[in-house]
Amino acid sequence: RRAASADVLVGTHGAGLVNAFFMKAGSSLIEVRPYRFEGSWPDKYFRAMSALEKKVHYWQVSSGSPRLSIPQPPLNVSVWEARDHAVILQWHSLQAWYC
């Protein structure tokens, strides 16, 4: 129910983002991805599905530094290993980007 009334849903890559499909037309989904979690495999999910739906605007924010991931991965972390890292994201940086 909360997703249906939200204008913006922010979350890390994972099953919880499926709630975006209950959001009203014109709302936004912001997917936050850990360092080096990029490419065709991660894009198959929410980016591709939101493109089919064309109801919710999809935005992707990638942490560009391993220092923003918990635990901090090596610089050459694989996409597969990167998926399980949490992301440190200061709200004011996201707010400034989105607003």
Side-chain angles (χ1 to χ4, degrees), residues 9-96:
L9 176 64
V10 180
T12 55
H13 182 86
L17 295 183
V18 81
N19 288 302
F21 292 102
F22 299 105
M23 296 173 74
K24 61 185 176 259
S27 53
S28 294
L29 166 64
I30 301 174
E31 179 184 5
V32 180
R33 291 190 181 176
Y35 175 72
R36 294 207 48 173
F37 191 62
E38 310 286 336
S40 60
W41 176 62
D43 288 348
K44 279 198 284 197
Y45 300 99
F46 299 105
R47 177 182 284 180
M49 287 190 286
S50 63
L52 290 173
E53 185 72 19
K54 295 182 183 173
K55 178 173 108 171
V56 174
H57 301 286
Y58 172 84
W59 305 87
Q60 176 187 321
V61 176
S62 297
S63 65
S65 170
R67 293 186 314 249
L68 299 175
S69 294
I70 301 172
Q72 186 170 330
L75 291 175
N76 62 346
V77 66
S78 71
V79 171
W80 183 259
E81 293 167 332
R83 72 188 169 105
D84 292 327
H85 290 260
V87 178
I88 301 168
L89 183 65
Q90 299 294 324
W91 171 247
H92 64 84
S93 62
L94 183 61
Q95 189 177 22

